[in-house]
Every structure is written in C-alpha cells, then in structure tokens.
Amino acid sequence: MVAERVYAAGELVGVLTTEPLGRILDYKAPETGCGDGDFVEVPLGPRRVIGVVWGKGEGKFDPARIRSVIRVLDVAPMRAELRSFLARAADYTITPMAAMLRLATRAPGLGDPPSMRKVYRLADTIPNQMTDARFRVVEALRRFAGASVTLGELAEEAACGPAVVKGLVKLGVVLEQDAPRDLPYPRLNAAGSARLAGDQVAAGDALVALVAQGEYSGTLLKGVTGSGKTEVYLEAVAECLRQGRQALVLLPEISLTQDFIARVEARFGAKPAEWHSGVTMTERRRLWRMVGQGDASFVVGARSALFLPFQDLGLIVVDEEHDTSYKQEEGVFYNARDMAVLRAAIVGCPIVLASATPCLETWANVEAGKYGRLDLGARFGAAELPQMRAIDMRPEKLPSDRWISSKLVAEVQARIERKEQSLLFINRRGYAPITLCRACGHQVGCDDCDARMVEHRFLKRLVCHQCGATKPMPVVCPACGVEGRMAAVGPGVERLAEEVTALFPQARIAVLSSDLFGSARALKEQIALIAEGAADIIIGTQIVAKGHNFPLLTLVGVIDADLGLQGSDLRAAERTFQLMRQVAGRAGRAEKPGEAWLQTYQPEHPVIRAILGGDEEAFWRAEATERRAAGVPPYGRMAGIILSSPDVAQVFDVGAELARRDDPLRRVGAQVFGPAPAPIARVRGRHRVRLLVKADKSVALQPALAEWVAQIKLPANLRLSIDIDPQSFY
Ligand code: ADP
Ligand code: ZN
C-alpha cells in the first residue's frame, strides 16, 4: 500500500466525488493543507459538493482554471484500506468509482459541524386528553425505546404533523431535550468468560486464535440452526474487542432482531451499534462518524455496513452467508459476502462465514483449501435436528382450494393439544398467485411488466411483485367483460391462513409475511411476541426461514416443497435444499424435539431425497459435479448483461450488436449467449434483454467485459447493467 501523502496549500490534489463525472477532478489544496483520504468540500460549477482526496492531482488541466478545496471536513479521513477496497470492488463489479463512494458515504450531514439538536422522549406522566394522533406519537416513542429521535423522525413514524408532538410537549407527556448530535457508543465489556460447551469449545478457541493472529484468513463455521454458531462467533468478537479492534457482524436485514441485539447486550453489557434500513438518519450519521474515530467497536449491520469507514477492523463475520439478500441487484450489483472477503483480505483480518447450509461457492472454497472449516455437530442442549419426512400429495386428492393434507392437520392438532407451536411454511406472498376469469381463461397481468398480478386480500388489491403497481380487484373481466367470474387460483400465505382458520377455529394464528408489516420494526416486534408463545400456529413466507428462535416450535409443515424446483435457475436445487433445511431447522430448538413434514408431488426428486436423507455432503458433491461439467460458477465465471429500454426493437438491436462485436471477449476465450428476452421480459414498461457471458475460472473477465461494452455508444433511453456472478437469472 502506498504511503499516505500530505499536500501543502496550493498543491494539486485529485478529488473523487459522488457526482457521476467518470473521472477524478483536480483542485488546489486549501490554506490548511490536506492529506490523502481527507473528506473535503469542493466547488463544482455553481455548487459545493463533498469528496475525498484521492492522491496527487494529474495536472492535465489549465492551472489557471483550477479551483481550491473549500475546506477539510471534521471527520476521520478515509483510510487507505477503504480506498483500495472501493477501487478493487469497483473493478470487480465494473462500477464507476463515484457510485462506490456513494455506498461508502451513506450518512446525512457529513459536512455539518458538531452541534446540538432537540430530541424527544416519553415522560412518566399518565397521558390524558389523548387523540388518535397523540396516541400514535406515544406508541412511536415506545417503539423507539429511548433511542434519540428528532421531531421530523417522530412525526413521520407517527404519521402526524409536528404540531401534535409539540402539543404533547406542552402537556408534559413528551419531553423535549437538547442532545449533542453524535455520542460515542457505550464501551463493550469483553472480559466475561465464554459459556461454550462440547465442540463449541474447540471452534471458539480456533476463531479466537485467528483473531489474535490478526491476519487474513477465511473460515466456514458450519452447524445446524441452534448448534451455537452465534455463541461461538461472539467469542471471536470478544477477542477482537480485547485487542482494542473493531468487529463487524453482517446479518441478512431480516435477522437483525431485538433478540440478537439482546444477546449481544447480555454477553457484552451494552448494545452494539446497528446499521440497517430501520435505523434513523440521525443514528446513521452518528454511527458513521463514531466508527471512523473508533468510538463504535462492534457494528451489527445489513450488507451496506460493509462500506463503513472502520478505523481498525479486526474481524468480519457474515452470518447466514448463503442468504440471497446479500446480493444487491439494483444500483451497484454486488454480493456482500464476496465483497466482505475482499475487504478482510485488504485489511488483513479474519473473516468467518457462518451457515447451516453454506452456498456451493463457499463449500468449494473449503474443498480447495482456501477456507478453513469448523463444524458444530449436535445442537446445543437436548434438541436434535428435526425428523424430516415427506407427505406424498398425489394420493391426497385435495379439493382445489385446499392445500393442507390430512396428515399435517393431525400433526398440527396434536401440537395445539400439547401447547406447542406449529409453523406452516409457504414461499408465496399475498392471497393467490393467479386471478383468473372462469369465463374466458384470462389471467390478470401487470400493465407494465410481464408478470401476473397477485391478489393481496389484506390490501384488497392486486399487486405486481415486480414493480409494485397495484390495481383494484376486477369484478368484470378486463378481457371478455363477463361479470362475477373472476376467481383466485393457487395458494398464497394469506389464503393459507384462511384455510388454517377454518380448520382450527380455536387456535391463535400469526401470519408472517414481509408485506403485512408497515416497518421492519413492527415485524421484529411480532417475531418477539411469537417467540414468547403468542401464537399456536405460525404461517410464514421466506422470512421465517431466517435465524429466528422460536423455543416452543416443534412442528414445521412445508406446504409446497416442490416450489423452487421448477424453473431454469442454475441455483434452483441449491436454493430449495437450503430453504427446506433452514425452515426445518426452526423446529425443536429448545429442549423439545421437532419434526418437519414436506408436502410434495415429487417425493423421488433427487433434491427432496437429499433433504430427507440429510446427506448434505452427498448433495454438495452431486451439485458440484454438475456445475463443474457445465463450467458454471463456482467452477467457471459468469456475467449477466441486462439491457432495458421502452423501445423493444432498440433493445434487441443493441443486444445483437453487442453479441456480434464479441472480439474483446473471444480474445480471453469467453463466450456470449443471447440476446434473449430476460425471463421477466418487461418491468415497469421497459423491455429487457439479457446476454450471458461465460468464461473459464482462470480468465480475467472484467477488463474484457469493460472493453466489450465500451465499444457501443448507448442510446440515451437504454440502460445497461452488468451483473458479475449473477445470482438470479431474471
Ligand atoms: P446458531 O447461531 O447456530 O443458530 P445459537 O448460537 O443461536 O445457534 O444457539 C442456539 C441457542 O442455544 C441460543 O438460545 C443460545 O443462547 C443457546 N446456546 C448455545 N450454546 C450455548 C451454551 N454453550 N450455553 C448456553 N446456551 C447456549
Ligand atoms: Zn409491474
């Protein structure tokens, strides 16, 4: 790594801004001088923008026209480590540097001086003279649970005007206080001793030793849900904190529960700093600043936490490393797991990838000796991995509006009698996936996308899951005009809830689907209530598959284990395998043993058999053999190119031209497939065409790709995005 340079007043410096200019701009260093990585404010045309000093100026421009840096901001400079991470990640994902810098500066008010502001809290007085709006404010403050909240944030959360809050301040129900904008996070106490048992001890020791070494290493921490992976990696975090360094734990957004935060608090005596979409802007700014000056030692966050300006990162953990939500598929296309490995390698710190069902890439890296592997065998305490069995649906002959087999009904009934919980899993949001006219067979589709509209009875509307467009439920068929024949076809989570209510009228039923909750916080609260036993039957979509702990749960019923086996996605088998095992892993986490039943029409399918047989290694080996033979990831390189435009002819023309001018790709032995209509051929009124590029593992694909797409001048309304290592093939 190059030495950090300091520039005297007037010297030329290069400044990278978040403006999409495609290059670094030259400025003169300010009176105070500046250094590499300093955050600065610079003039750009008539505006002032924020940027980072990115080395020496090029000096290619007319010196007379070069302007001066206005000032150096009062925040920690961006370290060389983060600068080279951004540059390498930009190269890997073929992303402009300005867009990378935007990812790394996602905190408001970076240029503002430290200052005070008003924050609001609940007083101890008993509220009276309450209106609906006032109640919402009180409720909102309860949800914030003492976290600093500003007037704007509070009014937004309570969906009321600021005057309502001010009224409550007058009444003494709400307190208005001055607080410094950014406070350091409480120190965590890492001294407490571990409570590891069995093979957790060896795994914990191994990770602690790696952290103590303080070099790059990659480790897969593998164990079924409930085996104590979190417990073990928190010991690695403890060692990192004892070294006085910072630790980052990445979780899929939805697993960032109060349950997890409470565990950290129990272990370390204080909460970690949180970074995810539910965090207020004020807290974001505070965290971003504090992490940069070393006053936040443990960050727990969603994928974008990877771009925080850590002062001295000593450990990264990626929990649920197989989770598809680590892949960002809009704006900058990146996989946070892979980028986390890159950052760890650049920083020179250990990275731990934790999962019950690692993805094939990680499994292959272990096989190739690039990662170490630590296994946690039995689940902690008495709980065992649940028994998994199939229910063959073919002889069931259920009516077309019912999906729960008699066997599963009996199992749920038995749980209700024993006061245990059951989970019914269906990976489909909404009420019914298809709305069909029984007179003409027309299926209601989205006007702007090539997708069917999904009925959401809860919203009383049809919703497009591609673009979010909604329309009212039609009474008259939009195609044939016949009235009263529109029918819901197929099950969604809401419709399953109806069937369950009819079957078990006495049971308390909770439906967990991301779109039924106004906010991530509301969802988390619901999950906490369920964990305490507030429901007999939980009906859930994919979100229940993520690491929640439901101690009373002893039965999991998978309504349609075949869903996901269809389709042409190269990862379909892997996904289904992971999802089913994750869902099944929900059962029997505490002392009660669990059972999982998979309803399937294909009990002989290899994936279903691998799930039931529990022979994971066999599944991975078979999957690896197939992918190696096909030359696809992780044994080959792939990139997806998506072209989109409102003009269908244009998008195909440009696609065809790209395919024709494939010299830069051919030179490195890469092949291009397509153009073909993308599996979802129209989204938000834009036609989409896809090209796929395949190359050998050893090929440096990115420079060839960059050269290839640069040959073509894109029409203004055509968008091109490059997705390296595409996850989904849409
Ligand atoms: P995983 O991350 O693999 O799902 P966790 O670390 O969440 O597993 O452990 C599952 C449950 O078992 C948690 O409630 C945890 O507190 C408990 N647990 C795990 N290991 C221990 C231990 N050694 N002593 C006490 N409780 C433990
Ligand atoms: Zn749509």
Side-chain angles (χ1 to χ4, degrees), residues 446-449 451 453 464 466-469 684:
C446 175
D447 296 337
D448 299 319
C449 306
M453 298 288 269
C464 169
Q466 290 313 318
C467 73
R684 291 188 183 89

Side-chain angles (χ1 to χ4, degrees), residues 20 26 61 116 190 193 196 216 270 313 341 345 385 392 521 611 622 664:
D26 276 4
F61 308 96
M116 305 294 276
S193 71
L196 303 184
Y216 168 75
L313 194 52
V341 173
L385 189 69
D392 185 347
R521 200 179 297 125
I611 296 167

Side-chain angles (χ1 to χ4, degrees), residues 195-197 200 224 226-231 263 380 549 589:
R195 50 163 192 179
L196 303 184
Q200 296 173 347
V224 294
S227 59
K229 295 184 296 296
T230 312
E231 214 66 40
R263 273 177 79 175
F380 180 72
N549 193 355
R589 296 200 58 174

